[in-house]
Structures are given as structure tokens and as C-alpha cells.
Amino acid sequence: MIKIGMMIGDRYEILEKIGTGGMSDVYKAKCHKLNRFVAVKVLKQEFSENENFVSKFRIEAQAAAGLMHPNIVNVYDVGEENGIYYIVMELVEGITLKKYIEKKARLSYKEAVSIAIQVSMGIEAAHNNHIIHRDIKPQNIIISKDGKVKVTDFGIAKAATSNTITSNVMGSVHYTSPEQARGGYSDEKSDIYSLGITMFEMLTGRVPFNGETTVAIAIKHIQEEMPSPKEFVPEIPASVESIVLKCCQKSPDRRYQNVPELLADLKQSLMNPDEDFVVRNDPDTEGNTRMVSDREMTQIKRRTYYQEAQEEEEESMRLRTDAEPAYEEEEIGDYGDEEYAEDYDEGYNPRMERVTTLLAVVAGVVICVIVIILAVRIFANVESGVDDELPNPIITDGSVSGTGEAQYKKMPKVQGKNVEEARNALAELGIKSEVNYVESDTVEVGVVISASAIEGQDVAVGATVTITASAGPKGVEVPQVVGKPFEEAKRMMEEQGLEVTREEAHSDTVEKDLVAAQVPEQGSKVPKGTNVTLTVSLGKEQSKVYVPNLVNKTEMDGTVEATEAGLQVSVIAHEFNAEYGEGYIFYQSYSQGSYVDPGTVIEIKVSKGAEAKTYKCNVNITAPTPEEAPDYVSGTPVQLKLVTDDGNVLLDTTASSFPQPANYYGLSAAGGTLTMSYTVTIQGPPTTDENGNQVAGATTTEPRSFNRRVEFTEE
């Protein structure tokens, strides 16, 4: 059992729990060997004796361990200790893309494309290592505090072979590819499909296919047409729409065939968002929408049954703050033991399903008959003058018209609903809404009293409907804060019991940092706790574009950053530069902080790294000097050994006469060391022989050596 403060693997000290999932917990730990913080994912104790879960845990470690890339959460270590299975990963401070989308409702196309580029680079690195993720979704994408996007959770990844992979493991059903939903093969193009669904959610704030059950969602992936993101957000550029739709083709052969193709189009869309450059593959029979066979239906139900059983055990990831490490294990796609399949097969009765379907059809017919009868009665009342209003006028962006090319939706019933439910219902239809509050003694606080469009009325998509809601018998009056500093305005609102949301916008009339607008307006009566949106002025909008710093960024990162700023990039040279690594920008034609016209071309130079230099050695080696060798005697043999700074031996010989020439060319080092070694003869003290005669003492030899620095010249 994991406890705070315990040591794992004799090096990882557990500091705190930062997340939990269905089969594992994630802890912040400190690696004492490398003195750094890491994330340790630990398999829960109840699963450590289950071979299936242990196998899945090991697969995640093996799949991700060999991947080292800036856009992948790197795995440092994996181990098992006393029945505790753990994976040591890079600690990322940030939030998941899912949480980020929820915070912002939806992302701009530039931000969505920029994130997709980084995710694609991470997926490309995995594919280059023959690893298919198979569970790409916003929950498995982390945005760090410095804006870096990283792919994590290779829990159901598989090593790719020359053939595609057949498996009974399916990723999260909202993002799974049709071939995964059928239980067929999955390859690199399955990851591309899931990334396309993720892009759709970034752009629109919703997933394209939803349903009451996972079976219903899986079937929609197989047989329903992919909706265009422009149906929900009309301002999405044409190229971005085409990229998403190509990623999400039913047939893998009609999608991008590899991630580099997708990356090329994503980068092009940043520079030319409205151009039609996305190449559509020729349609084939596999690409057509087709009905699900009985066999496929059985497979889908069985697989989604496993998934629902697994998801019931799982908890959603909890993050203490947005800035804490983000690790999430939602909708894990491993469905447990074969017992699940056997139990389900016993309980699944095709005949009973057909009876149920027949009853559902009959119920639908009855409901339709009731609706027709009610419609006839309502129409009769209108004809008899019960309703004196105009017969179903059409609400548009600001005018009333009978027909037009705009798309229209029927006004839903909002009266009696709370404000949030009413606005969500309108938003799902693409209709905007504004809320006015009035005091009411009869209607509960926050409940809709009326709307500017009546139920069933045609309303143009994008038009604004005004909702009138109850502020209760004693509503709070919204104070006037336009023109005041934001902090003061916020304090005034909070004193009235109101919550504040800050937005920013340029203004030609209101000074910077002052409130330029407020919603609801001053004097409105609203319930306590109502959220008031204050728009803070950014001052006059610059007509020029700010030039970012591109120096010391990679060519790709610099190009993306400049493009996002509204600029163009032209590489004018690739040159040697010792100060910057290969592939990094070392020059830009406009300096950081300057302002230029939108679309200005920024010329850059990219480093090829340090240029390789060669040197030559042309020296005459002179005899040892008295300063170097005081006891050296001319004519004594001297061993000469010349070694370059990078370890190459140029000269190893013995000489008795000097000078000695040394000429060498094409050297990679700028200098070397000459070692000169020789011997000296030492006369011992005189001695007396047996006859008493004095004789010369014995002689001995001793080695001597010294070093001499030799500098080479550049060729």
C-alpha cells in the first residue's frame, strides 16, 4: 500500500497524491538520484493480482518507454516492488485539453490548429516508433503551464507490424474510429480519426456523435454522416473544416494516410485558412454510409457492455488546481476478463430485442398520432381568433422576413425552465440568447417567465432571443460600473452579492483597464449570485502586428508562432553558426517588439550548427631548454610524443639531434601536447675497496619528462 513519505525503488519519495483513475493512482514524487520531481503512476492494490490489469499496465509502460519527444509525456522508469507495480513519468504542470475546452467553451480555429499541430507531432513520433496510441482524446492531452501540448496515457497502445492490428480493445467511444467500433483492425489512420474528433470538439465545444448509451454512439460512428463543424460555428475557415472532415472519413482509405500529410495541411491552414487546398481522396465503396449488420451489432453491444462495466468502476480525474499536474484516466478501453463476454452472451436474446424494437415502433406511431391531434386543435384555436398574434413570424438577426437563405430552427419551450437550461437548449440549436431579470412574487428565482420568440416560431440560426427571467420578489439592482477600474467595479458587484466574469476587448473610446461594458446593464434587477460579465478595455486596437521573438526557436516553432501572429515567414539562408544549434533560427529581419503591417514577410536565417574547421601542424621541435630540463645533456636520446587535444597521436619517436620537423594536415583539434622523455645518469658517492683504495661510486639512471604546448594553425 502506498503511503505518503514512503520510498519506492530506493529512489522515489512519495510526496502527495495528485490524481486517481479506475485502475491506478498518480502521485507526485521526488527522485533522489537525479534530484527532480516526477509523477509515479501506481496500479491499485485490488488490481495488482489480476493478470489482465497487470498486463495492461505493463503494455502502457512498454509502449511509452521508448518514446522521447517534447509532445509526449515521457516515461522514465518502470518497476515492481513488494507487489506494487509503478510507472515513473515526466511531471507536467498544467490541465487536460478536456478541462481547457470546458473552461473556454470552444477554442478559436488558430488555437485549435496550433494544439492539433503539437498533438500531431507527438503522434507522429509514436508512429515512427511503430506505436499506435488507439485512445486519442482531450482527456489524454495535457497543456502545460508554458503552453506545451503533450500526449499521455498509452494504456491501450499497441506495437504496429507490417499488417494492421486486430484487437478487442476500443478507445473512448466518443472518439473511436468506425473500424475500432466494429472490432476490426486499427492502424495509424485510426489515431488520425480520433484526432479529427478531438479537433471537432476544440472548434465547437461538443463531440459530433452523442447518445444515451455507448452502443448508440458507436453505431453513429459507423453509419451516420459526420456533421460539419461549420454547422455549429459558421466562422470556421473552409480549410480547417475540410481537414476535420478528411480526418473523420468512415473509410480509412479516404483519410490522411499518415500524420506528415495532416501536419502539412494544418500548417498551411494557419497561413491560408480560406483556401481550398485539402486534397480529397477518390470515394470508394467502403467510404459510403452503410447499415450495421446483425453480427456487427452483436460485436458492438458486447464491446460497449465491457466498456460500461469498466467505466462504472472508474472515477473521474480530480485536479486540485488548474496549475497542478494533470493526469487523467477516463474511459479506459480495457474491458476485463472473458467472463464478461460469457455473461453477456448468456443474457443477450436477439428475439427479445426484435420484440422490443417492434414495441418501440408502435409507441412511436401512437406518439405521432397524439402530436397530430394536438396540432390540429392548436391550429383550430388560431383560426377561431383565440390567438391574436401574427401567425408564426420568423426571427432573424435583426429583421422580420418570410423566407431567406438562412438556416432556421423551431423555438423550443423555455418558459418554466431555469435560465441555464433555457440558454443551453437555445445554444444547441445555434441560437444566441440574452437574459433580462424582473422582480416577481409568483415565479421562482432564476426561472424563465417569457421569451421574445414564442414556442414553435422559426428563428434564424445565429439570431438573438431575449429571455425574461424572475429575479424573485426582491431582486438585486445591478450597479453602474462602466468607466470604472475593474477592481473597483468587481468590488461593487460583489458587495451586491453578484459574481463577476472578466472579458477583454479593444475600445476606441474607453481607456485601457477601465470597464467598457457590462451585462446585465445598470439598474437591472437580478437574483443574488447572478454572474455579471464586465468587459475591460484593452485600449485602442493596434493596426499593426506585434513581431514575436523567433531567434533560438526551431524553424517549425518559429514559423507557427509568426503565422499565429498574422505574419509570413521566408527562410533566406541556412548557414553555419556556432552559437545556435542545427535547425534553430539565429536571425530575423524584424526585431522582437516592433510593429509591422499584417501579412508582412519576416525573413529568417536557420543555423546549420558549427562549421567543421581543420588545422595544420608545421613546427620544428627544438631540444629541451635548461628551464624545461636543467639536467639534460646534449646528445641524450629524447622520446617525443605529440598528442592532439582530441586524443590523436601524431608523433611517437626518439631523437638525439634537434630540431626535429613535425608536419601534419587535416587536423580536427586546434592544438596538442608534446611530451619529451629522457634519462639522466647519476654518479653515486665514492667507496673504499678491500685494499683500502678509494673507487668511484656506482652509477644509476633516472627517467625525466616534461610537457610542451603546441598550437596548430587553421587551414
Side-chain angles (χ1 to χ4, degrees):
M1 181 178 179
I2 297 294
K3 294 182 179 179
I4 303 302
M6 75 179 294
M7 192 76 73
I8 297 180
D10 295 327
R11 64 187 293 185
Y12 305 111
E13 180 187 358
I14 302 298
L15 301 179
E16 60 176 318
K17 181 185 283 189
I18 57 177
T20 185
M23 61 177 286
S24 61
D25 296 318
V26 182
Y27 297 87
K28 181 179 180 180
K30 183 175 183 180
C31 175
H32 285 273
K33 284 191 177 181
L34 297 177
N35 193 29
R36 66 181 177 184
F37 292 105
V38 295
V40 179
K41 179 181 284 190
V42 180
L43 185 65
K44 287 184 176 179
Q45 194 69 32
E46 57 264 34
F47 302 127
S48 60
E49 297 179 1
N50 185 308
E51 292 184 2
N52 285 335
F53 284 107
V54 172
S55 174
K56 175 186 179 341
F57 201 69
R58 285 174 173 163
I59 286 173
E60 175 176 2
Q62 293 168 358
L67 302 177
M68 296 294 290
H69 190 273
N71 297 115
I72 292 177
V73 176
N74 296 313
V75 171
Y76 298 143
D77 193 8
V78 61
E80 185 267 333
E81 182 177 285
N82 299 325
I84 298 174
Y85 295 88
Y86 63 90
I87 302 173
V88 182
M89 304 181 296
E90 174 186 5
L91 183 68
V92 181
E93 303 283 346
I95 63 174
T96 64
L97 177 58
K98 186 72 172 180
K99 297 284 187 184
Y100 188 63
I101 295 172
E102 290 173 356
K103 278 179 170 290
K104 299 192 69 174
R106 63 180 178 84
L107 311 184
S108 68
Y109 86 87
K110 285 188 177 181
E111 189 172 21
V113 171
S114 297
I115 291 173
I117 287 174
Q118 295 191 59
V119 174
S120 298
M121 290 191 290
I123 297 174
E124 181 184 22
H127 290 179
N128 288 341
N129 284 272
H130 310 294
I131 297 295
I132 301 169
H133 191 286
R134 301 200 301 167
D135 198 15
I136 296 296
K137 59 183 179 181
Q139 294 92 327
N140 287 340
I141 297 168
I142 299 176
I143 302 176
S144 65
K145 290 193 299 186
D146 59 0
K148 204 70 173 175
V149 179
K150 292 177 176 284
V151 180
T152 186
D153 199 351
F154 285 75
I156 62 172
K158 280 284 187 181
T161 64
S162 58
N163 299 318
T164 53
I165 300 168
T166 300
S167 172
N168 63 354
V169 177
M170 180 170 64
S172 304
V173 69
H174 285 97
Y175 309 91
T176 194
S177 65
E179 59 269 22
Q180 287 175 289
R182 290 192 186 99
Y185 67 87
S186 59
D187 60 5
E188 289 86 349
K189 293 184 282 294
S190 300
D191 284 349
I192 292 175
Y193 182 94
S194 299
L195 178 55
I197 301 294
T198 301
M199 288 182 63
F200 186 99
E201 185 172 357
M202 284 194 286
L203 293 164
T204 66
R206 54 171 291 165
V207 291
F209 301 119
N210 219 329
E212 295 182 357
T213 66
T214 51
V215 174
I217 299 170
I219 292 173
K220 287 182 178 181
H221 277 287
I222 294 173
Q223 67 181 28
E224 283 198 8
E225 290 293 339
M226 176 73 181
S228 168
K230 287 178 72 71
E231 293 179 15
F232 305 95
V233 184
E235 57 266 28
I236 293 175
S239 64
V240 178
E241 175 196 29
S242 298
I243 290 172
V244 172
L245 294 179
K246 184 172 180 179
C247 287
C248 298
Q249 289 291 315
K250 304 294 184 191
S251 168
D253 294 335
R254 301 181 69 187
R255 300 175 203 153
Y256 289 97
Q257 297 303 291
N258 52 59
V259 178
E261 286 184 12
L262 172 59
L263 271 170
D265 278 1
L266 286 171
K267 293 175 183 177
Q268 180 74 1
S269 70
L270 282 177
M271 294 181 286
N272 303 293
D274 296 316
E275 287 189 9
D276 184 17
F277 54 81
V278 177
V279 178
R280 295 167 181 81
N281 295 336
D282 292 334
D284 52 42
T285 55
E286 292 184 13
N288 296 331
T289 301
R290 64 184 183 88
M291 298 302 294
V292 181
S293 66
D294 291 340
R295 181 182 178 185
E296 289 176 333
M297 176 67 77
T298 302
Q299 290 176 338
I300 292 168
K301 288 188 175 182
R302 180 180 299 158
R303 289 158 52 74
T304 51
Y305 175 82
Y306 302 155
Q307 184 166 359
E308 288 169 343
Q310 177 72 21
E311 288 175 349
E312 287 176 1
E313 295 181 358
E314 295 185 0
E315 307 168 30
S316 60
M317 181 61 64
R318 298 186 295 273
L319 300 175
R320 288 190 180 86
T321 65
D322 290 345
E324 285 189 349
Y327 295 89
E328 201 155 359
E329 283 190 18
E330 298 184 6
E331 297 177 285
I332 296 176
D334 193 348
Y335 309 117
D337 300 332
E338 291 301 322
E339 296 173 1
Y340 280 131
E342 294 170 4
D343 293 343
Y344 183 76
D345 286 340
E346 291 175 3
Y348 175 62
N349 188 331
R351 181 178 179 184
M352 181 59 69
E353 183 183 17
R354 287 193 291 272
V355 172
T356 303
T357 303
L358 179 60
L359 291 175
V361 172
V362 172
V365 172
V366 172
I367 292 172
C368 289
V369 171
I370 294 173
V371 170
I372 292 171
I373 293 173
L374 291 175
V376 170
R377 290 183 177 180
I378 293 172
F379 181 76
N381 289 338
V382 172
E383 289 292 325
S384 61
V386 174
D387 192 346
D388 293 331
E389 295 194 22
L390 290 173
N392 197 21
I394 299 174
I395 304 299
T396 63
D397 292 29
S399 61
V400 178
S401 61
T403 58
E405 296 182 358
Q407 184 180 1
Y408 297 97
K409 300 289 184 180
K410 295 293 184 182
M411 177 69 184
K413 180 180 179 180
V414 296
Q415 185 176 359
K417 296 184 178 181
N418 65 50
V419 171
E420 195 64 28
E421 289 177 345
R423 299 194 74 179
N424 287 340
L426 292 172
E428 288 182 0
L429 299 176
I431 301 172
K432 301 176 183 178
S433 59
E434 292 180 351
V435 183
N436 287 335
Y437 288 91
V438 296
E439 292 183 358
S440 174
D441 296 327
T442 58
V443 181
E444 187 179 346
V445 174
V447 174
V448 176
I449 300 173
S450 63
S452 60
I454 62 175
E455 182 182 355
Q457 187 172 359
D458 287 331
V459 180
V461 172
T464 300
V465 170
T466 301
I467 296 173
T468 302
S470 171
K474 292 182 180 180
V476 177
E477 184 173 334
V478 178
Q480 155 68 5
V481 296
V482 173
K484 298 182 182 296
F486 174 74
E487 292 301 327
E488 179 184 348
K490 181 180 178 183
R491 177 182 54 78
M492 293 174 62
M493 293 295 178
E494 291 175 345
E495 287 176 352
Q496 297 295 322
L498 305 174
E499 297 182 359
V500 174
T501 296
R502 174 179 176 140
E503 292 186 354
E504 296 179 341
H506 292 284
S507 174
D508 294 333
T509 57
V510 180
E511 293 183 12
K512 185 179 180 182
D513 298 328
L514 299 183
V515 177
Q518 64 180 78
V519 178
E521 297 179 352
Q522 67 173 101
S524 302
K525 292 292 186 71
V526 299
K528 275 194 174 184
T530 297
N531 190 289
V532 178
T533 301
L534 301 182
T535 303
V536 181
S537 172
L538 295 174
K540 292 185 177 181
E541 186 173 7
Q542 293 280 351
S543 59
K544 301 286 187 178
V545 175
Y546 177 86
V547 178
N549 179 39
L550 308 182
V551 173
N552 209 26
K553 289 183 170 63
T554 64
E555 180 180 349
M556 181 169 56
D557 288 345
T559 301
V560 170
E561 186 169 345
T563 303
E564 288 181 336
L567 305 171
Q568 299 183 49
V569 172
S570 172
V571 180
I572 59 174
H574 287 82
E575 299 177 356
F576 291 109
N577 191 303
E579 296 182 13
Y580 297 88
E582 183 178 359
Y584 282 80
I585 299 169
F586 67 89
Y587 165 82
Q588 62 185 81
S589 57
Y590 291 89
S591 60
Q592 176 192 7
S594 58
Y595 287 88
V596 297
D597 293 328
T600 297
V601 176
I602 307 294
E603 296 179 342
I604 63 172
K605 295 181 180 179
V606 181
S607 172
K608 296 198 295 185
E611 185 177 8
K613 295 182 179 180
T614 58
Y615 300 85
K616 61 183 178 180
C617 173
N618 297 125
V619 296
N620 286 316
I621 302 173
T622 59
T625 64
E627 291 77 13
E628 295 172 324
D631 49 4
Y632 169 74
V633 176
S634 179
T636 300
V638 179
Q639 182 184 12
L640 306 175
K641 188 171 184 178
L642 178 58
V643 181
T644 64
D645 292 340
D646 53 2
N648 290 325
V649 178
L650 300 181
L651 176 67
D652 190 357
T653 187
T654 301
S656 300
S657 60
F658 296 92
Q660 287 288 327
N663 299 298
Y664 303 95
Y665 300 89
L667 306 177
S668 57
T673 301
L674 173 66
T675 301
M676 304 181 73
S677 304
Y678 59 95
T679 58
V680 296
T681 301
I682 300 176
Q683 184 73 45
T687 60
T688 304
D689 62 12
E690 57 186 7
N691 299 320
N693 299 320
Q694 190 175 24
V695 295
T699 60
T700 60
T701 59
E702 291 185 3
R704 298 282 190 272
S705 67
F706 63 90
N707 292 331
R708 182 185 292 175
R709 179 67 184 171
V710 179
E711 298 293 342
F712 304 153
T713 57
E714 189 174 338
E715 289 184 324

